[in-house]
Amino acid sequence: QVQLVESGGGLVQAGGSLELSCAASGSIFSINAMGWYRQAPGEQRELVATVTDTGSTNYADSVKGRFTISRDNAKSTVYLQMNSLKPEDTGVYYCNVDATTWQKITPMRRGYWGQGTQVTVSS
């Protein structure tokens, strides 16, 4: 199975910064994209940012200009630098990897989820 290890969550005051990281390992043939999603209490999980294997990025409107997603292809690791944090950024952040693995002789592309890391921003 694909293993995802997340780190970097914590408690920070409004205006502060945090950096999340997510490292993927396992029998991965290729990684098409990596990204971050978050879920606030009582709300649906939403996309925060993604980055493709070619470096194209996509951000939720709410985080544009404040968050930066990047990846280290050699380490199969994705990062999310979060600056100017706001209380509404609070939630559980989940790493997602769009990867291709081998299922016998058939390549299978699907998403894999990390365990989530809590980010809490106080006023």
Side-chain angles (χ1 to χ4, degrees), residues 25 64 113:
S25 62
K64 287 181 179 178
W113 291 99

Side-chain angles (χ1 to χ4, degrees), residues 15-113:
S17 298
L18 286 173
E19 185 181 60
L20 307 182
S21 65
C22 175
S25 62
S27 300
I28 302 171
F29 178 75
S30 63
I31 296 177
N32 303 102
M34 305 182 79
W36 293 93
Y37 296 72
R38 68 187 180 190
Q39 188 168 20
E43 299 184 10
Q44 296 180 334
R45 187 175 300 184
E46 64 176 354
L47 183 148
V48 177
T50 60
V51 58
T52 70
D53 56 344
T54 59
S56 297
T57 58
N58 183 44
Y59 296 91
D61 289 340
S62 60
V63 306
K64 287 181 179 178
R66 300 188 298 118
F67 291 10
T68 302
I69 189 170
S70 62
R71 66 181 292 176
D72 185 331
N73 291 338
K75 298 180 179 179
S76 297
T77 300
V78 63
Y79 305 90
L80 185 68
Q81 179 65 50
M82 304 184 292
N83 299 323
S84 302
L85 283 162
K86 304 175 181 179
E88 49 263 46
D89 294 319
T90 294
V92 178
Y93 284 67
Y94 296 91
C95 175
N96 181 268
V97 176
D98 178 3
T100 298
T101 61
W102 289 106
Q103 301 295 321
K104 289 191 174 181
I105 62 171
T106 304
M108 177 175 288
R109 178 179 174 181
R110 58 154 290 180
Y112 298 87
W113 291 99

